[in-house]
Amino acid sequence: MGRTARNTDRAGTLTAGPGPVVVGILNVTPDSFSDGGNFLDPEAAAEHAAAMLDEGAGMLDVGGESTRPGSDPVSQEEEIRRVVPVIERILSARPEAVISVDTYRSGTATAALEAGASLVNDVTAIRGDPRMASVIQEAGCPVILMHMQGEPKTMQKDPHYKDVVREVRDFLAERAEYAVAAGVRPEHIIVDPGIGFGKNLEHNLDLLNNLGAIVDLGLPVLIGVSRKRFMERITGVQEAKARVSGTVAASVLAYERGATFFRVHDVRANREALAVAEAVLHTSRR
Ligand code: HH2
């Protein structure tokens, strides 16, 4: 069995489980909104990855381009140059690590999978690159399909929906069908409403409160609320790194509503809160 096959098998086991799975964020970028510049050095990135695994991350999401509101794209070459050495370094220290690559470019996905990544996190839900579906199908790997209205540069200018929950659900159902038609295995599809991607505060809250409508698609759901701006309007916490309590509250509520994967920066806090939530929710009355 080749390296890619072994790695994607491990990811398949995670997608089959009931969760909760904490996904540790590793941004190898100079400009990510909360940790930009912290992990550009592969050594520092690998150390942080190991720390997140020790804190209980079931998976790591490595990205080489910020998609925060207002961000500019980078070239595929630059993205590969950032993520591949980091993936290699993490896996040489921790060969069992399950790593997703946060990219919408098929060339970056291919390079990352060859370096040992197990799945692809595509914030465009395979709309960004016409070759992405065949890369995923050929690798036989899982994929995260995320909803985004517009594109990062302008998506927060004036996001607009008639019914955000229905539109996001219908979009994810359509993209899942597209992926399956392209040969991706149905059990390899994870969907994500894309909190903060072309959504205002009310849209984000509506999606989180009515996450059940997306869970009802019957696919595992990933939720990414970590340190996001929408919390500032509720809590007043301006510094992104200080938005841990808000993140934990949203993660736990999303778990209660059926989400399985939680993409977060603060692994320990989220993992502990989710473990308590899991224990409470799975206690039956005697
Ligand atoms: N959020 C971000 C990036 N990638 N992928 C998925 N599937 N879901 C998300 O909610 C999501 C994502 C943005 O957060 P972050 O990586 O912390 O920041 P930046 O884009 O500035 O690197």
Side-chain angles (χ1 to χ4, degrees), residues 27 32-33 66-68 102 121 192 197 224 228 263 265:
N27 286 319
S32 287
F33 78 95
S66 171
T67 46
R68 74 183 191 289
D102 187 351
N121 172 23
D192 176 354
F197 283 85
K228 282 186 178 169
R263 184 184 179 278
H265 302 85

Side-chain angles (χ1 to χ4, degrees), residues 21-27 35 48-49 52-53 55-63 90 98-100 226 262-268:
V21 178
V22 173
V23 181
I25 301 173
L26 188 56
N27 286 319
D35 56 358
H48 185 56
M52 290 196 287
L53 292 170
E55 289 178 5
M59 194 170 122
L60 301 172
D61 186 39
V62 178
I90 295 170
V98 177
I99 299 177
S100 69
S226 195
F262 303 85
R263 184 184 179 278
V264 296
H265 302 85
D266 304 287
V267 169
R268 185 185 298 279

Side-chain angles (χ1 to χ4, degrees), residues 8-261:
T8 54
D9 272 2
R10 285 206 300 273
T13 319
L14 275 186
T15 57
V21 178
V22 173
V23 181
I25 301 173
L26 188 56
N27 286 319
V28 191
T29 59
D31 58 341
S32 287
F33 78 95
S34 83
D35 56 358
N38 290 3
F39 309 115
L40 263 179
D41 168 40
E43 193 58 50
E47 262 175 40
H48 185 56
M52 290 196 287
L53 292 170
D54 291 342
E55 289 178 5
M59 194 170 122
L60 301 172
D61 186 39
V62 178
E65 176 183 298
S66 171
T67 46
R68 74 183 191 289
S71 59
D72 287 311
V74 297
S75 70
Q76 177 164 280
E77 292 66 37
E78 175 62 13
E79 195 182 27
I80 292 174
R81 205 186 58 73
R82 290 178 185 175
V83 298
V84 165
V86 169
I87 292 170
E88 287 173 345
R89 214 173 264 241
I90 295 170
L91 289 171
S92 76
R94 308 291 286 262
E96 296 311 305
V98 177
I99 299 177
S100 69
V101 59
D102 187 351
T103 187
Y104 51 87
R105 296 189 183 86
S106 63
T108 306
T110 302
L113 290 164
E114 276 169 8
S118 300
L119 67 158
V120 177
N121 172 23
D122 186 339
V123 297
T124 72
I126 346 187
R127 292 174 300 157
D129 182 329
R131 287 189 297 277
M132 185 63 106
S134 60
V135 166
I136 291 163
Q137 181 269 322
E138 275 163 33
C141 70
V143 61
I144 299 161
L145 302 174
M146 195 196 80
H147 176 272
M148 166 164 55
Q149 186 180 84
E151 50 193 49
K153 188 83 191 158
T154 51
M155 66 190 175
Q156 290 306 101
K157 287 244 159 78
D158 183 26
H160 215 79
Y161 301 85
K162 278 204 186 94
D163 178 342
V164 67
V165 176
R166 188 175 46 75
E167 287 170 54
V168 169
R169 185 202 57 207
D170 290 352
F171 170 88
L172 293 173
E174 186 274 317
R175 295 319 292 164
E177 266 175 38
Y178 171 88
V180 170
V184 178
R185 303 211 325 242
E187 67 273 24
H188 275 172
I189 296 172
I190 299 167
V191 292
D192 176 354
I195 297 299
F197 283 85
K199 283 139 195 135
N200 64 26
L201 173 65
E202 288 68 32
H203 298 143
N204 289 325
L205 296 180
D206 200 357
L207 282 165
L208 285 168
N209 194 23
N210 295 293
L211 202 61
I214 290 161
V215 171
D216 282 349
L217 290 172
L219 300 163
V221 172
L222 180 144
I223 200 87
V225 288
S226 195
R227 300 179 178 176
K228 282 186 178 169
R229 184 88 189 263
F230 78 94
M231 279 180 259
E232 184 185 338
R233 266 188 59 202
I234 304 168
T235 62
V237 178
Q238 286 177 0
E239 195 198 348
K241 279 189 178 153
R243 295 179 191 145
V244 184
S245 307
T247 300
V248 166
S251 288
V252 166
L253 287 166
Y255 175 62
E256 196 193 15
R257 285 157 171 73
T260 306
F261 293 88

